[in-house]
Amino acid sequence: MKISIVIINFLISFSLFSQQRKDQIKTNIQLELDSNCFRKQKFYSAEEKGVILNNECKTGPSFLFSDNCKADTLSISKLKDYKISSIEEIKKMEKKWRKERFKEVQKKNKDTGTYNLPIHTFDKNYIFETYLIEIISDQQFIVYPVKWRGQGIKM
């Protein structure tokens, strides 16, 4: 009996995770490095097991490129295939995503009598599949699959 409950919980969790991945918005952000910046913008963190990428010098978001991920180095001619989003555009996409999902969460709660996670608990890593693009020369750029840092929300 206990084993079947564990298996059912696993299948439900797997199903929810699959929906989460399908629901994500793919977004590309250009890495803005400034040689005169007062803080390190690109460095390895043994604690987080990956490279920390602080976008822009003063106010940009921070990302983690995990040791488990692989970056791609591509020809600059392929850059046109990547739509670069600004942080302002991402904020708008996030706001729209939350507005659309809020209705779904409320409907599910009303219909089932159960409580889902409040919509504000979904962080940017739940909403976005994010890639950071670093132009390294006139002929090449790197695409890093990254996670947003400092979300302050544990799933």
Side-chain angles (χ1 to χ4, degrees):
M1 182 70 158
K2 286 185 179 183
I3 294 174
S4 62
I5 292 172
V6 170
I7 292 171
I8 290 170
N9 283 339
F10 173 75
L11 291 173
I12 290 171
S13 297
F14 181 77
S15 172
L16 290 173
F17 180 74
S18 297
Q19 289 174 347
Q20 167 191 342
R21 303 303 299 174
K22 184 173 57 174
D23 227 13
Q24 285 183 310
I25 301 167
K26 185 175 177 180
T27 187
N28 301 302
I29 302 170
Q30 187 167 339
L31 180 62
E32 301 287 338
L33 296 176
D34 180 355
S35 60
N36 295 321
C37 189
F38 64 93
R39 68 176 179 164
K40 287 185 180 179
Q41 288 186 270
K42 187 177 178 182
F43 62 93
Y44 185 79
S45 169
E47 183 180 310
E48 294 189 54
K49 296 181 181 152
V51 176
I52 305 297
L53 300 155
N54 292 311
N55 200 33
E56 301 176 5
C57 184
K58 295 180 183 176
T59 60
S62 184
F63 302 93
L64 173 68
F65 171 60
S66 173
D67 288 346
N68 301 345
C69 296
K70 295 190 183 213
D72 285 331
T73 303
L74 301 168
S75 168
I76 204 75
S77 65
K78 300 277 185 190
L79 187 59
K80 65 184 179 306
D81 299 336
Y82 291 80
K83 181 193 179 304
I84 306 293
S85 299
S86 70
I87 297 302
E88 290 306 314
E89 289 171 325
I90 290 171
K91 286 178 184 177
K92 288 176 186 174
M93 286 187 280
E94 180 181 4
K95 187 176 180 180
K96 180 180 176 188
W97 187 94
R98 290 181 186 282
K99 186 176 180 180
E100 290 171 358
R101 297 313 178 280
F102 183 74
K103 291 175 186 172
E104 290 175 18
V105 169
Q106 294 304 311
K107 183 178 180 194
K108 287 179 186 176
N109 283 343
K110 184 179 177 185
D111 292 346
T112 63
T114 61
Y115 294 97
N116 294 318
L117 289 172
I119 199 69
H120 66 275
T121 62
F122 298 125
D123 70 6
K124 284 182 175 61
N125 292 313
Y126 184 90
I127 299 169
F128 297 105
E129 179 182 350
T130 307
Y131 297 89
L132 220 53
I133 294 177
E134 179 182 14
I135 298 173
I136 56 172
S137 74
D138 291 343
Q139 297 170 9
Q140 292 183 318
F141 68 100
I142 301 175
V143 179
Y144 302 98
V146 295
K147 295 289 181 193
W148 294 74
R149 293 177 70 234
Q151 294 297 288
I153 298 171
K154 299 290 183 198
M155 297 291 283

